[in-house]
């Protein structure tokens, strides 16, 4: 070829042809050869069962310990262990009818109650017996290494149908929390304890967006003077009797204000009650203040029905089980919605077969500080 003809060759088309040939060869290689990445390590995991509605965001990565026997806290260990804040079952109030189904007292124990202008207030007896000791659901186990789960159903007494549904369907180790603005609370208290349920009382506390989001006319506010806060607290604590403690209703702002929390916890300790923290604010200091004041305390790890759909509740229950297996103890709260009650009933049927145990919330007070 002459020099002129060589310069006019289609180099662009030749280059495109070479690239197409390389891409075609690579595709054929990946389609024919089983390991197109040349020996990169792989693993195959068979999935024998799936849970609808569970996604990767719903699963908490937790540490699975081979033995939990030494990490369950004094209240979950055999007698004779360390000093504990949990209930002392030797001081349980005697039921009026020892043959009753639930075996729990239905009337105020005179040792741990006193009259006030609003009604019966809980108190610590002259012998140091607390309402927590008198009204706890007895909990005994020979297998301290079994992971424990406490479930609290809140809002009972506000809806007759919802409250009756919870009483009819849920196992006795589920703890019930009565709303202070409910009707016939004393009757619901007696019905629940007659079946054996341990009780809490909901304590309305100030959220960040108060008063747009208002828990009720007797809400504990950070702006209240001590005598005003005590008056509202007394009104709430006299709505019913025979409960072991209180659980906050809202309260994201209140539980981040140290002076208010410290004052409240001092008064709850004087009354011999426990405090359960739903931790609606990530900045809650309730746990730290409770530890400093030696107040019986238990935090909620999972709120089950933030999204009240079956798939979402199943995912939260799966997360709850993972926490219990990793830490030894886990606590959940849920509202008395029909979908939640159905899911809890179904979930609790074979709980022991899955190596887990349902317990009243008072049995979780002395868990180790892992959070």
């Amino acid at each position: 070829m002459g020099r002129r003809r060589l310069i006019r060759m289609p180099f662009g088309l030749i280059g495109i042809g070479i690239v197409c040939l390389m891409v075609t060869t690579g595709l054929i290689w990946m389609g024919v050869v089983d390991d197109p990445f040349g020996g990169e390590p792989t693993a195959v995991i068979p999935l024998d069962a799936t849970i609808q509605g569970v996604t990767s965001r719903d699963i908490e990565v937790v540490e699975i310990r081979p033995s939990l026997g030494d990490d369950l806290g004094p209240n979950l260990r055999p007698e004779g262990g360390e000093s504990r804040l949990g209930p002392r079952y030797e001081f349980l109030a005697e039921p009026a009818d020892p043959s009753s189904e639930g075996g729990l007292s239905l009337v105020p124990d005179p040792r741990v109650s006193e009259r006030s202008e609003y009604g019966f207030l809980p108190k610590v007896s002259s012998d140091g017996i607390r309402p927590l000791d008198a009204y706890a659901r007895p909990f005994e186990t020979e297998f301290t290494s079994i992971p424990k789960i406490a479930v609290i159903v809140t809002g009972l007494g506000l809806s007759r149908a919802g409250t009756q549904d919870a009483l009819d369907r849920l196992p006795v180790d589920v703890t019930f929390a009565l709303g202070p603005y409910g009707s016939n609370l004393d009757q619901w208290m007696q019905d629940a304890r007659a079946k054996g349920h341990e009780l809490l009382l909901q304590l309305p506390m100030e959220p960040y967006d108060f008063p747009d989001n208002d828990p009720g006319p007797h809400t504990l506010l950070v702006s209240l003077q001590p005598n005003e806060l005590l008056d509202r607290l007394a009104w709430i604590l006299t709505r019913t009797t025979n409960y072991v403690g209180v659980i906050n209703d809202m309260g994201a702002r209140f539980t981040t204000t140290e002076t208010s929390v410290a004052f409240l916890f001092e008064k709850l300790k004087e009354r011999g009650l426990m405090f359960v923290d739903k931790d609606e604010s990530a900045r809650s200091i309730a746990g730290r203040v409770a530890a400093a004041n030696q107040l019986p305390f238990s935090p909620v790890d999972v709120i089950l029905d933030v999204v009240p759909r079956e798939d979402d509740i199943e995912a939260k229950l799966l997360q709850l089980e993972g926490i219990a297996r990793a830490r030894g103890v886990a606590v959940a709260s849920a509202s008395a919605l029909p979908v939640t009650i159905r899911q809890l009933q179904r979930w609790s049927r074979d709980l022991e077969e899955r190596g887990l145990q349902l317990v009243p919330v008072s049995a979780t007070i002395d868990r180790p500080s892992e959070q």
Side-chain angles (χ1 to χ4, degrees), residues 312-338:
D312 293 272
I313 294 172
E314 284 185 14
K316 291 295 185 180
L317 288 168
L318 184 62
Q319 179 186 1
L320 179 69
E321 290 186 17
I323 294 172
R325 289 191 171 96
R327 301 175 181 170
V329 182
V331 177
S333 71
S335 56
L337 295 172

Side-chain angles (χ1 to χ4, degrees), residues 107-184:
V107 296
D109 186 332
R111 299 175 300 172
V112 293
S113 59
E114 63 181 2
R115 286 191 176 273
S116 73
E117 60 179 312
Y118 296 122
F120 283 106
L121 273 172
K123 71 167 188 176
V124 178
S125 75
S126 57
D127 299 329
I129 303 171
R130 306 165 296 175
L132 176 61
D133 303 318
Y135 301 134
R137 173 175 169 78
F139 167 71
E140 297 178 3
T141 179
E142 297 177 0
F143 306 102
T144 58
S145 62
I146 297 177
K148 311 293 189 298
I149 293 179
V151 175
I152 305 163
V153 175
T154 63
L156 297 179
L158 300 176
S159 163
R160 179 178 180 82
T163 304
Q164 191 62 55
D165 192 35
L167 281 168
D168 292 340
R169 291 188 170 208
L170 296 179
V172 295
D173 282 306
V174 172
T175 301
F176 287 171
L178 297 169
Y181 305 119
S183 57
N184 301 318

